[in-house]
Amino acid sequence: MTQGNISLTAFRPEHLEGALRLSRQAKWPHRLDDWRLALDLSAGFVAFDANASTVVGTVLMTPYKRDVATINMVIVDESARGRGLGRQLMEAAIALAGSRALRLVATGEGLPLYQKLGFCRTGTIVQHQGLVLRVTPPANVRPAEPRDISEIIELDRSAYCADREDLLRVLANSGRLAVLGDGQRITGFAALRAFGRAEVIGPVVAANADEAKALLVYFMAGRQGRFVRVDTSEASQLGAWLTDKGLVQVDEGIAMQRPVVARSGRAPATAFALASQAFG
């Protein structure tokens, strides 16, 4: 394989099988349906080896309206590393995002490249997963109803500092949403959907840790012995509690942003389980 054989092209549905091969090579848990959902919400590029008719790199840019976007699914084939493909894919995604503030979750391996491209660390995302232990369902959480979606979107916009309406509507249709309220208004919500080995809970938006726990427990209840994943910010301090419920820490990533300070792109303040885990 030579660099001259590889070109960047728009990520299209016919590239999904090649992308799935790369995520399996990287030992990521994504199913074809997970890739399809990500592509439906995103735009991006693949690095394509014309000689082998093979996808050797991927990147997705998920826009949240005009102000913020996330960079996801950055993978380069093991056989094509060390040739600058990761940088080419990232630069193409950054250009595609335009003036939007950008967020991503980095591995230690990718950190140097992202720093060179102007991303700075804003926190740590911790991945917990495992077989759920028995929990008692909370009394103050209920299934979301169609009439709740506008309030959910507004609550999420305030917490995440970006408009994730498209993502939330997809999660409402493809998974389940639950809300926590005081009888007058919704004060928190959580989503559950199929992902990877089983199911993932997230995003979760709540005013405090106790409300976040209630939303998580709502979806854990009735899932005793089933595999569940939750990604949360280290700052939420939910790690020990999740471990106590059977979801042990298995990995962590570095939350990053470019630019670090932007009026529309400031880091999330009250989201306990961040949207970044929805794709990767």
Side-chain angles (χ1 to χ4, degrees):
M1 182 186 301
T2 65
Q3 191 70 26
N5 299 329
I6 301 174
S7 60
L8 264 57
T9 187
F11 199 143
R12 297 185 296 272
E14 57 262 36
H15 298 130
L16 285 169
E17 289 287 352
L20 180 63
R21 180 189 68 83
L22 289 183
S23 60
R24 286 174 173 170
Q25 182 191 83
K27 295 182 171 54
W28 291 7
H30 297 70
R31 307 164 302 150
L32 189 61
D33 284 347
D34 300 323
W35 271 103
R36 188 174 290 114
L37 178 98
L39 183 58
D40 285 346
L41 289 165
S42 311
F45 299 93
V46 299
F48 193 78
D49 179 6
N51 283 356
S53 298
T54 302
V55 173
V56 295
T58 60
V59 66
L60 289 176
M61 184 278 300
T62 308
Y64 298 129
K65 305 303 182 185
R66 297 181 178 180
D67 294 329
V68 176
T70 58
I71 303 293
N72 313 290
M73 312 306 285
V74 184
I75 314 176
V76 174
D77 191 293
E78 292 173 352
S79 66
R81 293 176 186 171
R83 307 180 188 189
L85 273 183
R87 187 180 187 103
Q88 289 181 50
L89 288 162
M90 281 296 299
E91 288 175 342
I94 289 169
L96 187 62
S99 61
R100 295 178 179 89
L102 291 174
R103 299 173 186 165
L104 58 78
V105 178
T107 62
E109 183 180 27
L111 180 62
L113 171 60
Y114 302 138
Q115 289 175 325
K116 290 175 184 176
L117 292 171
F119 288 83
C120 294
R121 182 171 186 156
T122 59
T124 301
I125 305 299
V126 183
Q127 180 186 137
H128 285 259
Q129 63 186 38
L131 304 180
V132 178
L133 301 178
R134 179 182 292 275
V135 295
T136 302
N140 57 343
V141 180
R142 62 171 174 81
E145 302 173 4
R147 62 184 173 86
D148 297 321
I149 190 65
S150 295
E151 197 169 350
I152 289 171
I153 291 167
E154 184 55 40
L155 182 64
D156 183 76
R157 184 184 297 119
S158 176
Y160 195 71
C161 303
D163 191 334
R164 302 193 293 185
E165 177 180 355
D166 293 343
L167 169 65
L168 292 169
R169 291 191 182 279
V170 166
L171 294 179
N173 290 328
S174 64
R176 295 169 56 192
L177 295 176
V179 296
L180 182 149
D182 57 10
Q184 301 296 319
R185 62 188 180 90
I186 293 171
T187 59
F189 77 89
L192 173 82
R193 70 176 177 88
F195 174 83
R197 293 175 59 184
E199 294 175 301
V200 61
I201 304 174
V204 176
V205 169
N208 53 59
D210 287 340
E211 291 192 358
K213 291 175 182 178
L215 287 158
L216 289 164
V217 166
Y218 174 83
F219 282 127
M220 291 177 185
R223 284 176 168 74
Q224 181 180 359
R226 293 168 61 179
F227 189 88
V228 171
R229 171 177 166 178
V230 174
D231 290 4
T232 182
S233 65
E234 187 176 57
S236 73
Q237 299 183 338
L238 294 178
W241 180 84
L242 286 166
T243 299
D244 186 59
K245 299 298 180 286
L247 308 187
V248 299
Q249 180 178 339
V250 297
D251 201 2
E252 65 179 42
I254 304 160
M256 306 190 79
Q257 183 163 308
R258 176 186 188 267
V260 178
V261 180
R263 179 179 176 83
S264 60
R266 60 191 183 275
T270 59
F272 278 84
L274 305 181
S276 55
Q277 60 73 39
F279 302 143

